[in-house]
Amino acid sequence: MTTAQTLKESQLDPDRAALDLVVAAGEPWVGYISEGQVLRIVDLEGNQAVDTLFFSASDVRERYSASDTIRIQGNLYLTTGSMLRSSVGEAMLTIVADTCGRHDTLGGACSAESNTVRYGEHTRHMHSCRDNFLLAAAKSGFGLEKRDLTSNINFFMNVPVTEQGKLTFEDGISAGGKYVELRAEMDVICLISNCPQLNNPCNAYNPTPIRLLVWDP
Ligand SMILES: [Zn+2]
């Protein structure tokens, strides 16, 4: 089993951030991060999955690619030093600090469909990351829609791969106050779903708020 884990703290001062906000439990967020800006995502209370998509602001057909990122770095997990690659292999963002140690990009985003397959028909009405992404896409102002929702990152989510290659959703390895920080290598649009999932341990069965900070270069 691969257990890449590279802890690194940030020197950035929250008092000097250009943006500092809280995304409530289960809610979406969409924002524009310019090249050179640094985005920090803070897991305020711990064990909160933060489903995230990135698109190139200059051409939204170019977007975060899990397969290119994994192939180029030769590792299944994201942590300090990981460079997030686009669908044409370009550098989109670099993880410059990480106090959690490991983030998933295999488990995908929860949806009404996956909820009913995994947890039963009675969960169909439940709020999902796919709904959040659709809302954030509509609000982006960049013409993003359903077909643009491709493989995402799940910050703070623990999806270990077994020796047999199986994916398992495990209790989180994150804790209150842990954060991950990314420097944009191009202008990007960031879509976040602060995961509302209640049926598996990715949010410890209790979705909680996150804090987002952005610093100018
Ligand atoms: Zn979710």
Side-chain angles (χ1 to χ4, degrees):
M1 188 167 76
T2 313
T3 51
Q5 191 160 335
T6 316
L7 301 178
K8 183 162 187 281
E9 297 210 21
S10 168
Q11 302 304 314
L12 291 171
D13 178 359
D15 288 338
R16 311 189 82 140
L19 181 88
D20 185 353
L21 58 88
V22 168
V23 180
E27 291 299 306
W29 181 79
V30 57
Y32 191 102
I33 316 286
S34 302
E35 183 180 344
Q37 283 190 317
V38 172
L39 166 69
R40 180 187 294 182
I41 306 171
V42 187
D43 184 0
L44 286 175
E45 297 183 27
N47 284 342
Q48 175 58 38
V50 181
D51 293 45
T52 307
L53 289 165
F54 293 105
F55 298 86
S56 164
S58 58
D59 179 0
V60 293
R61 286 171 299 182
E62 182 181 355
R63 72 278 310 270
Y64 171 71
S65 165
S67 55
D68 289 276
T69 300
I70 290 167
R71 177 175 55 78
I72 293 170
Q73 75 170 10
N75 194 290
L76 291 174
Y77 301 123
L78 305 178
T79 185
T80 311
S82 287
M83 187 168 272
L84 309 188
R85 298 285 176 166
S86 76
S87 42
V88 293
E90 291 292 328
M92 294 193 89
L93 302 103
T94 305
I95 299 183
V96 290
D98 181 12
T99 63
C100 174
R102 201 173 82 191
H103 308 271
D104 165 71
T105 192
L106 299 168
C110 64
S111 65
E113 293 78 7
S114 68
N115 279 340
T116 53
V117 168
R118 286 180 182 143
Y119 313 113
E121 193 59 35
H122 67 284
T123 64
R124 180 173 290 280
H125 70 283
M126 290 174 114
H127 194 126
S128 70
C129 282
R130 192 167 173 77
D131 295 341
N132 271 346
F133 278 147
L134 285 171
L135 263 172
K139 275 198 209 157
S140 71
F142 279 80
L144 295 171
E145 51 172 301
K146 209 179 219 175
R147 71 176 65 180
D148 298 305
L149 305 185
T150 52
S151 58
N152 60 288
I153 299 166
N154 294 302
F155 287 112
F156 309 109
M157 193 160 102
N158 188 22
V159 184
V161 179
T162 70
E163 281 179 20
Q164 291 75 34
K166 282 200 156 72
L167 296 181
T168 53
F169 291 83
E170 299 288 339
D171 203 359
I173 49 173
S174 187
K178 299 226 181 212
Y179 61 82
V180 59
E181 226 170 72
L182 305 106
R183 183 184 62 233
E185 309 295 354
M186 61 168 69
D187 294 348
V188 295
I189 304 150
C190 173
L191 265 58
I192 283 178
S193 167
N194 190 15
C195 183
Q197 180 60 256
L198 289 166
N199 303 291
N200 76 43
C202 74
N203 300 324
Y205 305 97
N206 174 35
T208 50
I210 53 167
R211 181 180 177 192
L212 302 178
L213 300 107
V214 175
W215 286 267
D216 291 329

